[in-house]
Amino acid sequence: MLSDLSERSPALVVADDAHWLDRSSLDALAFAGSRLDAEPVVLLAGARGQAPPPGLDRGFPDLHLEPLSAADAGRLLDAQPRPPRGRARAQVLAQAAGNPMALIELATVIAEDPAAGRRWAAEPLPLTDRLTAVLTARFAGLPEPARAALLLAAVADGPDLRAAAAAVSGPDARALAPAEQLGLFTVDRTGLRFSPPLFRSAIYHTAPFARRAAAHRQLAGALHGQPDRRAWHLAAAAREIGDRLFPFTGACRDGDLRQ
């Protein structure tokens, strides 16, 4: 079919979001793609993740798209209809980490709620529904122990997860194994890092507020000898409950009831 089509004019076959395709469809694309050398047909498949989808992982050249540079990310952010300014701009750039879709979506979050940057000064900014749907699909099927461990990692105020490990009963490394196999995080000398960083926000904001507050309290209980970090997590837990009971306080000024 593709060969006949290309007799009239060169053809481009594009399969976007190929990671969502079923295996039979991927096999069909791979079968056709491997036989197009002599045809004026180009097959282009786009997929998320660190590796090509099954079937397209052998014999096909691949191009891994790296995050935007800091300069390019800033230019893209400034090109949005209502780009964030000041501290909110720095938050968006840091959280997006060069992801173009994240830069655009997080700019929308700030544009629709200018106080979001101040309200979430320490925790990750909430995501748009579109971005949340894209990210949560990756971890929605994880077993409960893995999801609980990921939430503690998302609640932690840094990549050093020794406090998070002490806060969870049971074998944390084994609980996180399914998430690591999905490529949701990497571990280096400094600790655990979500990959991409937006997973932290998706995990944090899709968890019920009561579970977020409980995770903050768990971490506070494990931070012996670090009174500043312990106080911060206790305050974050109290704020989760306060935001649920008194949502109107989010629009107040510093020094008010919420403070």
Side-chain angles (χ1 to χ4, degrees), residues 48 95 124 127 132 134-139 150 154 182-185 193-206:
R48 294 188 181 94
Q95 190 167 324
L127 307 179
T132 297
V134 169
L135 294 171
T136 54
R138 291 282 301 278
F139 61 80
L150 279 176
L182 289 177
L184 300 185
F185 65 86
R193 295 187 181 277
F194 288 101
S195 178
L198 289 172
F199 275 125
R200 182 190 177 212
S201 182
I203 292 165
Y204 187 90
H205 288 288
T206 55

Side-chain angles (χ1 to χ4, degrees), residues 18-19 44 84 102 104 125 182 185 190 194 203 229 231:
H19 51 283
L44 178 63
I104 294 170
L125 290 167
L182 289 177
F185 65 86
T190 61
F194 288 101
I203 292 165
R229 292 180 65 194

Side-chain angles (χ1 to χ4, degrees), residues 6 10 15 43 46-47 58 64 72 83 89 93 99 103 128 134 167 174 198 210 225 228-229 244 248 250 256:
S6 67
L43 169 63
R58 293 183 180 180
H64 184 73
D72 288 339
R89 184 179 189 274
L93 287 170
N99 184 307
L103 287 163
T128 60
V134 169
R174 281 182 288 174
L198 289 172
D228 54 339
R229 292 180 65 194
R244 182 69 174 184
F248 61 87
D256 59 12

Side-chain angles (χ1 to χ4, degrees), residues 5-259:
L5 182 66
S6 67
E7 289 180 357
R8 286 174 278 174
S9 64
L12 171 65
V13 180
V14 179
D16 200 8
D17 287 330
H19 51 283
W20 295 123
L21 293 176
D22 60 88
R23 184 57 190 266
S24 295
S25 298
L26 288 171
D27 288 342
L29 283 175
F31 178 87
S34 63
R35 289 159 176 78
L36 294 176
D37 289 345
E39 308 288 348
V41 180
V42 170
L43 169 63
L44 178 63
R48 294 188 181 94
Q50 300 299 313
L56 300 176
D57 50 355
R58 293 183 180 180
F60 294 91
D62 64 275
L63 174 64
H64 184 73
L65 298 181
E66 299 292 339
L68 295 178
S69 67
D72 288 339
R75 281 194 286 269
L76 176 60
L77 189 58
D78 292 337
Q80 300 311 302
R82 291 186 289 171
R85 303 298 183 193
R87 184 173 65 179
R89 184 179 189 274
Q91 283 178 274
V92 170
L93 287 170
Q95 190 167 324
N99 184 307
M101 180 181 179
L103 287 163
I104 294 170
E105 295 294 308
L106 290 175
T108 301
V109 169
I110 298 297
E112 293 178 350
D113 181 10
R118 180 168 60 86
R119 189 162 57 252
W120 301 101
E123 295 89 350
L125 290 167
L127 307 179
T128 60
D129 291 343
R130 178 188 180 203
L131 202 50
T132 297
V134 169
L135 294 171
T136 54
R138 291 282 301 278
F139 61 80
L142 287 174
E144 178 54 32
R147 292 174 64 88
L150 279 176
L151 178 57
L152 277 170
V155 167
D157 52 325
D160 183 354
L161 297 184
R162 283 175 292 185
V168 182
S169 60
D172 301 298
R174 281 182 288 174
L176 281 170
E180 186 176 19
Q181 291 169 1
L182 289 177
L184 300 185
F185 65 86
T186 58
V187 178
D188 57 25
R189 288 180 296 178
T190 61
L192 181 149
R193 295 187 181 277
F194 288 101
S195 178
L198 289 172
F199 275 125
R200 182 190 177 212
S201 182
I203 292 165
Y204 187 90
H205 288 288
T206 55
F209 86 97
R211 294 194 63 183
R212 293 202 302 261
H216 278 296
R217 288 194 296 270
Q218 281 182 278
L219 284 176
L223 288 167
H224 305 295
Q226 300 184 58
D228 54 339
R229 292 180 65 194
R230 182 175 184 276
W232 185 88
H233 280 290
L234 289 174
R239 191 188 65 190
E240 289 285 351
I241 297 173
D243 283 350
R244 182 69 174 184
L245 296 177
F246 306 105
F248 61 87
T249 61
C252 297
R253 294 170 295 179
D254 289 340
D256 59 12
L257 171 65
R258 181 175 179 174
Q259 187 81 1

